[in-house]
Amino acid sequence: MAKLGEIDYIRRAGPKEREHILNKPFSEPMCGYLLSDIGTIMRLLPAPPATLLDLGAGSGWTSCLFALTGYQVTAQDISPDMVELIELNKKRYGATMLTPIVSDYESLDFDEEFDCAVFYDSLHHAEEEHAALTSVYRALKPNGVVITAEPGTGQSQTPEALRAVQEFGVTEKDMPVAAVIATAEKIGFRCTGVFERRFEPKPLIHAETLRTYRGAYGFISASLREMSWRLKGGHLTEGHYVVLQK
């Protein structure tokens, strides 16, 4: 059963992986991207001191950042070992507005208690994403917002995902933006925004363009052409944020 794989992950992965998870995001080579990622999500959320449900929170590094920003955070994870790490990080960072709980986000025991919720790289671990989104719908107050931040199509076939499934029995699946929206709308959510999630900054003006167009008119013209190209492209290839409202 995949949920048992999630529950037992830290114990089976060993002390080195536990230390790595505890020290996220600073233990990650892509630390800068992860911090930028959370900054983007904060800009899409209601402002603090909103009540926030952090779903599949892992070691709670995201929960701590939300709490230190002023959100009243409940951090949920299915694994008691992960919740122990959340408690450690809560003390380490002095994140007083943070309450960790052990639960399954597919069957939460909340009823209209939160202003907002976040699935940060966690919805694609759900056995039943419909159950997870339904559970969160119940947990949100009227007009409450949930943000899903998911990797792009093909994530389930990456070497890391395939190894996790084989070694630990966890769930790894693709979570395309269209599927998230379709499932959420069946439950009663309405989609209020979709934003591209990029792993690398994309220059609005390329260096070659800057060298070619030295004058103000050339610079502006190049800018407009680049922006037009981006708008016509519309491909969500690297990941996405979806904003849903109850």
Side-chain angles (χ1 to χ4, degrees), residues 13 43 113 124 126 133 137 164 170 173 187 189 199 203 218:
R43 294 179 66 185
E113 296 184 38
H124 68 275
L133 286 166
Y137 187 87
V170 298
K173 60 173 74 171
I187 294 163
F189 283 108
F199 291 106

Side-chain angles (χ1 to χ4, degrees), residues 50-69:
T51 50
L52 186 153
L53 180 58
D54 196 6
L55 298 148
S59 64
W61 68 269
T62 55
S63 308
C64 288
L65 289 177
F66 291 136
L68 291 170
T69 308

Side-chain angles (χ1 to χ4, degrees), residues 72-114:
Q72 301 174 62
V73 182
T74 296
Q76 170 277 331
D77 202 273
I78 198 170
S79 169
D81 294 326
M82 286 292 190
V83 171
E84 285 183 11
L85 298 188
I86 296 174
E87 292 283 10
L88 289 174
N89 273 327
K90 176 182 177 179
K91 293 176 183 175
R92 174 160 61 172
Y93 297 116
T96 56
M97 298 173 70
L98 170 58
T99 302
I101 60 168
V102 179
S103 68
D104 183 348
Y105 61 37
E106 294 181 25
S107 54
L108 295 166
D109 190 23
F110 295 117
D111 185 19
E112 296 191 353
E113 296 184 38
F114 296 93

Side-chain angles (χ1 to χ4, degrees), residues 86-159:
I86 296 174
E87 292 283 10
L88 289 174
N89 273 327
K90 176 182 177 179
K91 293 176 183 175
R92 174 160 61 172
Y93 297 116
T96 56
M97 298 173 70
L98 170 58
T99 302
I101 60 168
V102 179
S103 68
D104 183 348
Y105 61 37
E106 294 181 25
S107 54
L108 295 166
D109 190 23
F110 295 117
D111 185 19
E112 296 191 353
E113 296 184 38
F114 296 93
D115 299 308
C116 53
V118 176
F119 284 102
Y120 182 71
D121 277 338
S122 58
L123 186 59
H124 68 275
H125 295 304
E127 285 191 341
E128 297 290 343
E129 56 269 25
H130 185 278
L133 286 166
T134 300
S135 184
V136 173
Y137 187 87
R138 288 195 303 268
L140 289 171
K141 299 175 184 178
N143 298 314
V145 170
V146 59
I147 294 177
T148 70
E150 293 296 318
T153 301
Q155 187 276 336
S156 65
Q157 297 304 305
T158 61

Side-chain angles (χ1 to χ4, degrees), residues 216-227:
Y217 176 78
F219 183 88
I220 294 170
S221 299
S223 300
L224 292 174
R225 282 199 298 274
E226 183 74 10
M227 290 172 68

